[in-house]
Amino acid sequence: MSQATIAGIKPIAVELKTGEKYYFCTCGRSSNQPFCDGSHKGTSFTPKAFSVDKDGKAYLCACKHTGNAPFCDGTHQKFTDVQIGKEISINEDATISEAKNNNTRKQWHKVAEIGELKDGSTTTVSAGTRQIALTYKDGQYGAIDNVCPHQGGPLGEGSLDEENCLHCPWHGWAINAFNGIGPSGAKVEAFKVEERETGIYIEVEDIKEATTISDIMVETMVNWGITHVFGMVGHSNLGLAEALRKQEEAGKLTFIGIRHEGAAAFACSGFAKASGRPAACLTIAGPGATNLLTGIWDAKVDRHPVLALTGQVQTQVLGPGAFQEIDLASAFAAATIWSRTVLHDSDHAELMNLALKNAIVERGPTHLIFPDEVQVLEAIESAKPSGPEGRLALTDITPSQNALKEAVNLIRNAKKPGIIVGYGAQDGIEAVIELAELLDAPVLTTFKGKGLIADSHPLGAGVLGRSGTPVAAQSMTESDALLVFGASFSNHTGIDKDIATIQVDSDRMTLGKFHPVDVPIWGDIAITAKRLVELLRSEQRMTIPRQERLASLWQAWREEKERRAVKNRDKGLSSAALFDHLTQSIPEDAVISVDVGNNTYSFGRYFECSGQQTVLMSGYLGSIGFGFSAAMGAWAACPNRPIICITGDGGFGQYLAEFTTAVKYDMNITHILLNNGELGKISKEQRAGNWQVWQTSLHNPDFSEYAKNCGGMGIRVTNERQLDEAIRSALEYNGPSLIEVMTDAELI
């Protein structure tokens, strides 16, 4: 007789008796893990085959890779949720008695119709929470657990031989289809089957589901305000997906199943850009996770909160190179601001707290890696979901008095101050406009800030930079001081660093990031603008009125747009004509998601915003394919606002399968697609560099017919006369609609 410690056993309900049966639980649902009463997915064993290591320890194995099941040498997955062991005596005649489980109840379930199975056939059926391999041979039904005891293969997909053995389709293990016993001694549970007048019934013990680690973490995620998850359910995230399903069933979460994981990340980025709140994306390990990276990078460089949830292979095979194993921690290290692996002994609620706090406070994507087996581990009894209470401070940063004094002195000496607002000024734009009206200063926007002020406002000057208007460019050159709110001084915008500058931002790293500025002010933009108004209101200033000059600049630019709009080479509509119609037709409160390419440059240049519209774009990353996926995120984030998507044929082609996602979830998105048959921006750059235009042409389908085939509305527009009616019809359509506008690649 030898002494052995079985790691992780809860001492209750464990006793040694001779001749009794023991079941080792692999399903994770037992309240007495790792033992159960045999009604779960599990295996029986004869203790004569056991062995102990040199330290007198035997480990219960859940990986099924050991040749000495259910024991192994400790190199596989171990149950260590109970750190103390149980010293027991074992000899060759001993077995471990069944653990009593109070979490089950027997119930009959109809699983098939009479005559549905042909003689000699096998199928997989659901009986309550159980998956059963159901067979029919010689007038007799057999029902056994669907999980092969070897490596978990689906027995119901196997083949039945003449000896009534069901052969697993993965590795051929044979299990008797009627009693669940294999020739090798392996065994699965067999169930009672009855043929009744109304069908075929199986009696099973339904399992009362235990609270898992995933349950705790997902509920914590919901408590932080996550309302939407975009992603794809797969084999290495099923435990996590089940926790998400429960929250969706409870009405606390919406899951949107996408067709490509890259679209899920872009949708999350669009969700955050439209609302300021994070959404989550879900993938499997390996390729599903790597497909997220482009969209995750978009959120990182544009500084928006996103939560990435990825599955991972089981920890017991992590390292040697398992199927779909990659080093996810390293892969996501550069693309995220925070990434961690969820382990069996982690503080699980706290991990989720940190993931979401980092995403919100540091404004970027965070990442949690869920190994397959950890997802389904039963949470310890004391584990509770958490939330944001007491973890988020107010962000109202009041600027220093000295900085305000310096800013006032600079403004006091300026004759023609101008104001530039970037995307970061969106929450304080009303205060900034009040300051502009006090100073009679034109308000220019960066491209990312397009729409923060109406182009019809007397002080609105439009977009500055490569995607901008001559109104904005001329307004900047005529200014002798610039007040820059929430902008990053990118090359694309081209803010003149030789003009005296006051820069205001709530992020200290952004202040003077690329070159010194005269007065850097760290503070909330709304608070800072209001304080400047208070300090300057009583000042007597000798500034030069700018509104009349702005009006003349706008008149000249609008006349130029009209000249461009009427150009016609019989190769499609001009961009100036298209965006003139869209300016008149798109709702004043719309969220507009734009892609990358000439279509986007033309939007920045020609489209005039109402001041109430929100424009979403892939700013610093400039990723083609962003537009439609981000529109799906905007639809989820802003359900009561019109959602408009503007892309080129190249951008939409990257994720065009997501139109079926929009149809499936009845997303009310109006998509304006500019089809010019080429990657027009690249053609333009090749010409500008004196290169030959090469490999930029596209072979396109009829996108309007494609939209119809997917189940949405599709309209093709070939001339300007058709445009207004097409836009009206698409906006009125309740669901995803696509207007394919045939455009001239040269008239941009």
Side-chain angles (χ1 to χ4, degrees):
M1 185 174 294
S2 61
Q3 294 291 317
T5 297
I6 301 188
I9 290 179
K10 297 179 181 178
I12 59 168
V14 178
E15 56 183 321
L16 299 174
K17 290 185 179 179
T18 302
E20 292 194 2
K21 190 182 299 181
Y22 161 80
Y23 288 96
F24 173 61
C25 178
T26 60
C27 66
R29 294 174 176 174
S30 171
S31 63
N32 192 31
Q33 199 176 46
F35 296 108
C36 69
D37 65 357
S39 64
H40 303 300
K41 171 179 30 174
T43 62
S44 62
F45 74 98
T46 303
K48 292 180 180 180
F50 86 92
S51 63
V52 297
D53 65 14
K54 59 184 177 60
D55 297 322
K57 291 182 179 179
Y59 295 93
L60 290 169
C61 178
C63 67
K64 304 177 184 175
H65 291 175
T66 177
N68 192 30
F71 296 107
C72 69
D73 62 0
T75 61
H76 302 303
Q77 172 188 348
K78 305 167 189 175
F79 285 88
T80 57
D81 57 330
V82 178
Q83 297 303 317
I84 61 169
K86 169 71 174 177
E87 294 293 332
I88 57 175
S89 298
I90 303 178
N91 59 37
E92 290 191 353
D93 297 324
T95 59
I96 303 175
S97 66
E98 295 181 356
K100 301 303 179 184
N101 190 329
N102 296 320
N103 287 341
T104 60
R105 62 188 179 88
K106 290 187 177 181
Q107 188 172 349
W108 288 92
H109 297 269
K110 181 180 178 179
V111 296
E113 302 292 343
I114 296 174
E116 186 175 333
L117 270 70
K118 305 304 179 185
D119 190 69
S121 64
T122 304
T123 189
T124 303
V125 296
S126 297
T129 57
R130 307 294 298 270
Q131 292 290 296
I132 308 295
L134 179 65
T135 58
Y136 181 68
K137 188 177 180 184
D138 299 330
Q140 182 182 0
Y141 287 97
I144 60 175
D145 195 319
N146 191 51
V147 179
C148 177
H150 176 220
Q151 287 190 6
L155 292 174
E157 297 177 19
S159 56
L160 195 62
D161 66 18
E162 294 298 321
E163 302 298 322
N164 295 332
C165 279
L166 188 55
H167 292 264
C168 178
W170 286 6
H171 303 101
W173 271 44
I175 304 291
N176 187 282
F178 298 99
N179 61 26
I181 301 174
S184 64
K187 183 177 180 180
V188 298
E189 187 174 3
F191 303 92
K192 293 180 180 179
V193 187
E194 287 186 3
E195 179 178 318
R196 304 175 183 175
E197 291 183 358
T198 54
I200 310 304
Y201 289 77
I202 295 177
E203 185 187 45
V204 300
E205 289 182 330
D206 286 340
I207 303 163
K208 180 182 178 182
E209 296 181 353
T211 299
T212 66
I213 285 170
S214 295
D215 291 328
I216 295 292
M217 297 188 72
V218 170
E219 190 169 347
T220 300
M221 182 183 81
V222 169
N223 291 344
W224 274 84
I226 297 291
T227 59
H228 287 79
V229 179
F230 299 83
M232 189 176 292
V233 175
H235 63 91
S236 57
N237 65 26
L238 295 179
L240 180 56
E242 173 64 9
L244 294 170
R245 183 197 65 78
K246 293 176 187 175
Q247 291 298 315
E248 184 173 58
E249 190 175 69
K252 298 179 180 179
L253 191 69
T254 298
F255 185 87
I256 296 175
I258 43 70
R259 304 300 293 270
H260 189 283
E261 294 90 349
F266 277 134
C268 287
S269 184
F271 186 102
K273 290 175 180 181
S275 68
R277 298 180 288 113
C281 44
L282 172 74
T283 76
I284 62 167
T290 57
N291 280 344
L292 286 179
L293 286 171
T294 303
I296 293 298
W297 268 109
D298 177 77
K300 182 177 182 180
V301 297
D302 283 351
R303 305 205 60 189
H304 289 282
V306 168
L307 175 62
L309 309 171
T310 64
Q312 179 58 293
V313 300
Q314 293 190 4
T315 53
Q316 66 207 13
V317 295
L318 190 62
F323 175 68
Q324 294 192 334
E325 176 199 346
I326 65 168
D327 183 355
L328 290 178
S330 297
F332 278 77
T336 60
I337 61 171
W338 187 90
S339 179
R340 297 292 187 273
T341 299
V342 181
L343 301 175
H344 71 281
D345 55 354
S346 299
D347 186 339
H348 301 106
E350 190 61 23
L351 268 186
M352 185 60 75
N353 284 334
L354 288 171
L356 284 161
K357 181 171 182 176
N358 273 276
I360 294 167
V361 173
E362 299 296 336
R363 294 187 299 167
T366 57
H367 176 220
L368 287 169
I369 304 166
F370 289 80
D372 197 9
E373 85 282 4
V374 174
Q375 299 170 37
V376 297
L377 291 179
E378 184 177 350
I380 61 174
E381 189 173 347
S382 60
K384 303 294 181 186
S386 188
E389 292 77 13
R391 294 178 179 269
L392 295 175
L394 296 176
T395 58
D396 302 338
I397 304 169
T398 301
S400 74
Q401 293 300 315
N402 288 338
L404 289 170
K405 183 178 180 180
E406 289 183 45
V408 168
N409 287 336
L410 193 153
I411 296 169
R412 182 183 293 127
N413 295 322
K415 300 295 185 183
K416 294 192 292 185
I419 293 176
I420 300 175
V421 293
Y423 188 82
Q426 60 178 337
D427 292 335
I429 190 61
E430 292 181 4
V432 173
I433 292 175
E434 183 182 0
L435 176 63
E437 291 170 344
L438 177 67
L439 300 177
D440 200 31
V443 180
L444 301 63
T445 77
T446 65
F447 192 18
K448 285 177 63 180
K450 183 176 175 66
L452 291 182
I453 184 171
D455 289 308
S456 60
H457 190 285
L459 292 171
V463 172
L464 176 67
R466 300 176 193 175
S467 307
T469 69
V471 180
Q474 192 68 24
S475 296
M476 181 178 71
T477 60
E478 293 177 0
S479 297
D480 59 0
L482 296 175
L483 286 75
V484 181
F485 292 89
S488 56
F489 290 78
S490 73
N491 290 334
H492 189 106
T493 304
I495 300 173
D496 191 338
K497 65 181 180 180
D498 293 326
I499 301 175
T501 301
I502 300 166
Q503 184 186 5
V504 182
D505 208 287
S506 59
D507 179 9
R508 293 182 69 190
M509 282 300 298
T510 300
L511 297 170
K513 182 176 181 180
F514 297 113
H515 59 78
V517 296
D518 296 89
V519 183
I521 299 180
W522 180 41
D524 177 87
I525 285 171
I527 291 175
T528 304
K530 288 176 182 177
R531 291 289 293 123
L532 288 173
V533 168
E534 292 169 1
L535 293 170
L536 291 166
R537 182 174 284 123
S538 60
E539 294 264 339
Q540 293 293 323
R541 295 176 306 280
M542 300 299 294
T543 56
I544 299 173
R546 308 285 295 277
Q547 290 191 26
E548 186 175 339
R549 173 61 173 160
L550 274 173
S552 66
L553 289 173
W554 270 112
Q555 182 179 349
W557 173 232
R558 286 170 179 144
E559 289 173 355
E560 174 61 23
K561 289 201 295 181
E562 288 177 5
R563 287 190 289 272
R564 296 184 185 187
V566 297
K567 289 183 179 180
N568 187 352
R569 304 190 313 151
D570 293 326
K571 294 183 178 181
L573 276 70
S574 69
S575 293
L578 171 61
F579 285 106
D580 178 58
H581 285 269
L582 292 177
T583 295
Q584 307 304 318
S585 302
I586 288 180
E588 291 187 351
D589 61 340
V591 180
I592 307 171
S593 175
V594 298
D595 209 272
V596 169
N598 278 341
N599 61 92
T600 318
Y601 280 84
S602 296
F603 170 80
R605 188 173 298 119
Y606 298 127
F607 184 84
E608 296 189 20
C609 287
S610 69
Q612 301 174 47
Q613 293 154 338
T614 301
V615 179
L616 314 179
M617 64 184 67
S618 179
Y620 271 108
L621 192 64
S623 179
I624 191 171
F626 169 87
F628 192 80
S629 300
M632 296 195 302
W635 172 84
C638 306
N640 298 318
R641 295 179 66 182
I643 308 298
I644 310 296
C645 176
I646 298 173
T647 77
D649 45 354
F652 183 58
Q654 295 216 343
Y655 292 103
L656 79 168
E658 298 307 331
F659 200 86
T660 64
T661 304
V663 172
K664 177 180 178 180
Y665 294 97
D666 199 25
M667 298 181 180
N668 199 4
I669 298 172
T670 302
H671 183 193
I672 313 297
L673 188 151
L674 283 67
N675 183 354
N676 59 21
E678 64 177 282
L679 298 173
K681 182 175 181 294
I682 307 306
S683 299
K684 183 179 180 181
E685 290 175 351
Q686 287 176 332
R687 293 189 190 97
N690 294 317
W691 304 97
Q692 291 290 323
V693 174
W694 184 69
Q695 291 292 353
T696 60
S697 63
L698 299 172
H699 178 73
N700 289 327
D702 183 324
F703 288 108
S704 63
E705 289 298 320
Y706 170 76
K708 294 175 187 176
N709 288 338
C710 292
M713 170 186 273
I715 305 172
R716 174 175 275 205
V717 170
T718 57
N719 62 71
E720 190 175 351
R721 294 186 304 275
Q722 301 169 322
L723 198 51
D724 286 338
E725 176 60 24
I727 296 171
R728 183 192 62 77
S729 298
L731 289 170
E732 290 177 354
Y733 183 74
N734 187 21
S737 59
L738 184 151
I739 304 173
E740 179 183 18
V741 184
M742 309 307 292
T743 57
D744 189 326
E746 296 293 322
L747 301 180
I748 57 174

